[in-house]
Amino acid sequence: MRWLVGWSSTAAGALGGSVAHDGRHDDDAPYGGRVGDDGETLQPVGSQLLWGDPDPLWAVGDWRPDEVRVVKADAQTRVAVLGTCGATDEQLRVGLFAARGGALRHLTAWPGSYTAIVQVGRRITVCGDLAGARPVFHTPWAGGTAYATAALPLADLIEANLDFGHLAALLAAPDVPAALHDSTPYDGVHRIPPGHALILRAGAREIAGYEQVASLAVAAPLADPDSAVGAVRDALIEAVRARLAAPRHVPDIDPGPVPGMGPAERRAARGMPVPGIGADLSGGPASGTLALLAAGLPGMPGTLLGHGTGAGERLLAVTFNDLAVGGREAELERAGSLAANPRLHHVVVAGGEEALPYADLDGPLTDEPGPSLVTAARHRARLAAGSADHFTGYGARQVLDAHPARLADLLMDRKRRHLVRPVAALTKADGSVLVPARVYGAARRLARTSYRAGVEGLAERLLHRSFGSDDPSGAVGASLAALTWGGAGPAARWLTGEALAEVSVRLQGAAHRTGVGPGQRPGDYRARAALARHAMDLRVLEQAAEIRSQRLHAPFLDNQVVRACRALPETLRVQPGARAAILRTVLKGAGVTDLPPGWGAPSQESVTAAARAGLRMAMDPLLTLFEAPLLAEAGLIEARVVRKALRAAAAGEPLPLDGLADLVSLELWLRRLLSRRGTCWTGTPARARAVPAGIAPQRRAVSSGG
């Protein structure tokens, strides 16, 4: 786990910083530090100081040397970029000068995935990304503001307790930004929304958006589909090229031969990835596109010479074959056809019952909870066979596909004829002649419903436990449930009435406090919320399934790729098979035309089958987990209700398995958090850490009349 942390104090020298001989603060002085009760200097454990007082900044964790860059214009002006960034030092300097004048968007326009921090005098600017995969957190502290790219270090710093309202919202309405707002699992630690920057001036904080705001007075120009797809192609190629241009890293030195073990076996026994670059090759369009682009673009070899049997080959392609659950034969066949490319070295990882969801309930503590905690072992088995730099197709569905609520956007733009093909596809999947009328009616209602009315309607449904309209059954049911401003989460049905009432109060307050934003329609709003939710869970997955010395790269979540995908016309997005068609065009523009038959065909059935099989296999440990759950102690669930639901789901009843994954993952995360004994800081009084009192629910808003 890697993160950065710093703070902005109220006054220069307030935290014990050094002062120059002429009375001015010396920005190049080392960190003077805030001294703890035992005379220790307060600083993060295992950190490297990027700049010192009065507003210090640290990088914490196993950062590679090329992932941490600091460029200075003068003693008072500098920029730090952490992560994979394709900008040169001169481009960073130009972006620094632009940010000094207030133009923050320049800091997010380079290819790659990174976090940029700018210091201009006492003004600190920290830019988050558009997707939410690189979030920024902040909290009031010592009369100023502390910030970080992880929430747990800030929670340790202020000894934060759990925010049970946030945990309830994660279960009841995880895809509704109004329910979560800027909260985190830790009370007092806040998150800035995607597409925004945190600006600190001598301890005072401001949150500002850096993206262009749509105009309500002037209609946006019509986007040309060909040029929009071309922009997506260029952005993806630049994102892949930025990773190829980065230095290669050898994870570890092979200690030497072991009798009966080859280099691959020795590396697997140590849990180390293959040196070089690799990619997932699941047979789907997203991973296949990245693998073929990485194999075809000029750059350094994917596998380093002298390391392993595939030395010097272009790219290591990894395919996961689930032996416990079938249904992916067509995808595996397509992956094998793609792997016939001589530039690819294909590795198939076979997973049995030990790789099913819920099979391994042990794991590391992550910064936040997420449903991927129950599948971390499954992903770790695949990633362990991957490379030190590994491409994944995560995020392609969220940035390229059309959220069903975009049908309402088309009606608002008077483009009814473009609804014909998506509605016809739903009718074909369902087989009912009533589907067109139901879908059109739901889209029309959403187009005529204001944001405030939609959020208040969801709050009312949660308060009265009315989940009928939020229960998706099949493609048509899922589409109808998504044609709202916000829906209840799959785990909401198992929450207590008090927890649902708490979330209802949060929604009602948000409906009166904030709006959806100027010029934003329901489809665009729901799509951005779904992307932020997916990016947050990917961040949890990276931490839960982390392989030492390995970096996961998700180019579809890069700022430039997200921007290019958002510029795609809605009339193109909503067409059936649009994602596969767009990626096919991207590959054709890059010179790849030989794709296997059926490439891009959707396949989600095996995911549900694997989840149900994992529930059956892990039924006894799961029932033990919910004998005396911490969620029940916090007042969010009743243990017997969840145990009954687990048995019913394992028996094959049509229950939302995603909701059970949310409950199990949150319970696992709470247990790991409370069993933690360390802290992220040295010099804190009595080794202060987050949640010092354990599960101690505070007075609810519904019980206090708030």
Side-chain angles (χ1 to χ4, degrees):
M1 182 174 172
R2 293 163 299 280
W3 40 279
L4 61 89
V5 63
W7 57 64
S8 175
S9 56
T10 305
L15 297 180
S18 303
V19 179
H21 66 278
D22 58 354
R24 294 182 298 103
H25 195 280
D26 183 6
D27 285 298
D28 288 324
Y31 171 59
R34 181 180 178 90
V35 178
D37 292 348
D38 298 328
E40 297 177 284
T41 300
L42 179 61
Q43 61 184 9
V45 176
S47 62
Q48 56 174 314
L49 184 67
L50 300 185
W51 59 62
D53 287 323
D55 305 314
L57 175 67
W58 292 273
V60 186
D62 59 337
W63 292 96
R64 295 172 176 174
D66 59 287
E67 291 177 334
V68 180
R69 300 165 62 189
V70 179
V71 174
K72 292 184 179 181
D74 52 55
Q76 299 286 328
T77 308
R78 49 194 163 189
V79 58
V81 176
L82 288 87
T84 302
C85 180
T88 63
D89 286 352
E90 184 59 30
Q91 289 174 321
L92 291 180
R93 194 169 285 107
V94 172
L96 174 59
F97 292 145
R100 184 169 62 179
L104 302 181
R105 195 172 187 269
H106 292 71
L107 300 175
T108 66
W110 303 305
S113 178
Y114 56 89
T115 301
I117 308 96
V118 171
Q119 183 184 45
V120 180
R122 294 299 312 281
R123 187 182 72 189
I124 304 290
T125 303
V126 190
C127 292
D129 65 341
L130 290 175
R134 287 185 169 269
V136 178
F137 304 90
H138 63 92
T139 185
W141 179 73
T145 300
Y147 62 90
T149 54
L152 184 57
L154 299 182
D156 279 346
L157 188 64
I158 65 172
E159 297 188 83
N161 288 310
L162 290 170
D163 185 344
F164 294 99
H166 176 86
L167 298 181
L170 271 181
L171 296 173
D175 295 325
V176 183
L180 301 173
H181 192 42
D182 65 346
S183 62
T184 66
Y186 313 100
D187 190 22
V189 180
H190 304 278
R191 177 200 313 267
I192 69 168
H196 287 69
L198 176 66
I199 303 174
L200 305 173
R201 294 180 178 87
R205 62 185 175 275
E206 174 190 355
I207 298 175
Y210 54 75
E211 283 297 279
Q212 297 177 353
V213 178
S215 173
L216 292 176
V218 181
L222 295 177
D224 176 54
D226 293 336
S227 61
V229 174
V232 173
R233 179 198 63 222
D234 295 341
L236 267 179
I237 290 176
E238 287 301 317
V240 174
R241 184 176 284 129
R243 274 81 174 183
L244 292 177
R248 297 290 172 268
H249 293 270
V250 179
D252 200 359
I253 302 298
D254 194 334
V258 177
M261 296 179 66
E265 287 81 2
R266 294 197 300 269
R267 185 182 63 251
R270 299 196 312 272
M272 305 299 289
V274 179
I277 284 186
D280 285 338
L281 190 63
S282 65
S287 62
T289 298
L290 294 179
L292 293 174
L293 285 179
L297 290 176
M300 299 179 67
T303 309
L304 298 184
L305 291 170
H307 294 275
T309 57
E313 291 182 342
R314 189 62 189 162
L315 191 86
L316 177 68
V318 180
T319 300
F320 182 77
N321 183 15
D322 192 348
L323 300 179
V325 179
R328 297 188 62 246
E329 291 76 10
E331 284 192 359
L332 293 174
E333 184 178 351
R334 288 194 292 269
S337 300
L338 291 173
N341 189 321
R343 295 178 175 179
L344 298 178
H345 175 61
H346 195 207
V347 174
V348 179
V349 178
E353 294 179 349
E354 74 283 351
L356 286 172
Y358 306 99
D360 185 4
L361 299 182
D362 295 326
L365 173 66
T366 56
D367 191 46
E368 296 181 280
S372 59
L373 290 180
V374 300
T375 59
R378 185 179 183 86
H379 292 285
R380 195 181 302 115
R382 181 188 84 252
L383 297 175
S387 297
D389 290 277
H390 199 77
F391 284 101
T392 66
Y394 291 112
R397 185 186 307 273
Q398 285 70 28
V399 299
L400 289 174
D401 283 7
H403 193 280
R406 288 192 184 272
L407 297 179
D409 294 355
L410 291 177
L411 289 180
M412 296 174 71
D413 292 338
R414 301 181 182 275
K415 297 178 180 178
R416 296 180 179 86
R417 64 185 181 90
H418 295 285
L419 272 69
V420 174
R421 290 185 61 189
V423 172
L426 289 174
T427 304
K428 182 179 179 181
D430 187 83
S432 172
V433 295
L434 299 178
V435 169
R438 294 172 63 195
V439 173
Y440 183 83
R444 189 178 181 184
R445 281 193 302 272
L446 177 58
R448 296 182 174 185
T449 303
S450 66
Y451 168 77
R452 178 172 176 175
V455 173
E456 289 178 343
L458 175 59
E460 191 72 14
R461 294 201 304 274
L462 290 178
L463 190 61
H464 294 91
R465 304 185 69 90
S466 176
F467 304 125
S469 59
D470 299 300
D471 186 14
S473 55
V476 175
S479 298
L480 292 175
L483 282 167
T484 59
W485 279 103
R493 66 184 62 210
W494 295 301
L495 297 186
T496 62
E498 185 180 12
L500 291 175
E502 177 83 8
V503 180
S504 178
V505 170
R506 291 171 69 103
L507 287 171
Q508 290 172 358
H512 291 82
R513 180 178 61 250
T514 59
V516 69
Q520 199 168 1
R521 282 94 57 84
D524 183 53
Y525 173 79
R526 291 297 305 272
R528 290 172 186 253
L531 175 61
R533 169 69 172 166
H534 178 78
M536 183 174 68
D537 191 47
L538 173 60
R539 180 170 171 265
V540 173
L541 174 62
E542 286 181 332
Q543 299 168 12
E546 184 177 15
I547 303 295
R548 181 184 173 190
S549 302
Q550 186 180 65
R551 298 292 187 269
L552 292 186
H553 299 284
F556 285 102
L557 298 181
D558 287 4
N559 286 333
Q560 286 298 77
V561 177
V562 172
R563 283 195 182 100
C565 292
R566 285 179 177 174
L568 291 170
E570 291 180 354
T571 55
L572 174 63
R573 285 179 183 273
V574 299
Q575 304 308 318
R579 173 163 39 107
I582 292 171
L583 294 180
R584 188 185 295 270
T585 306
V586 168
L587 288 176
K588 183 178 180 180
V592 180
T593 57
D594 188 14
L595 297 175
W599 187 83
S603 175
Q604 287 292 317
E605 293 79 5
S606 60
V607 176
T608 303
R612 198 175 297 278
L615 276 175
R616 294 193 190 101
M617 291 294 301
M619 182 51 56
D620 290 340
L622 289 176
L623 292 178
T624 303
L625 183 70
F626 283 93
E627 280 295 332
L630 296 176
L631 289 174
E633 188 177 343
L636 300 181
I637 64 168
E638 292 185 13
R640 60 176 181 82
V641 174
V642 176
R643 291 197 300 269
K644 180 181 178 181
L646 288 171
R647 294 190 185 97
E653 292 189 21
L655 294 176
L657 301 183
D658 291 346
L660 293 176
D662 290 341
L663 290 172
V664 174
S665 60
L666 184 52
E667 177 67 23
L668 290 174
W669 182 81
L670 286 174
R671 289 175 180 259
R672 294 172 189 176
L673 178 66
L674 296 186
S675 64
R676 171 176 176 255
R677 291 294 176 264
T679 179
C680 296
W681 298 87
T682 62
T684 52
R687 304 283 291 175
R689 60 186 177 90
V691 199
I695 299 292
Q698 299 176 350
R699 193 180 183 191
R700 303 279 190 181
V702 291
S703 61
S704 62

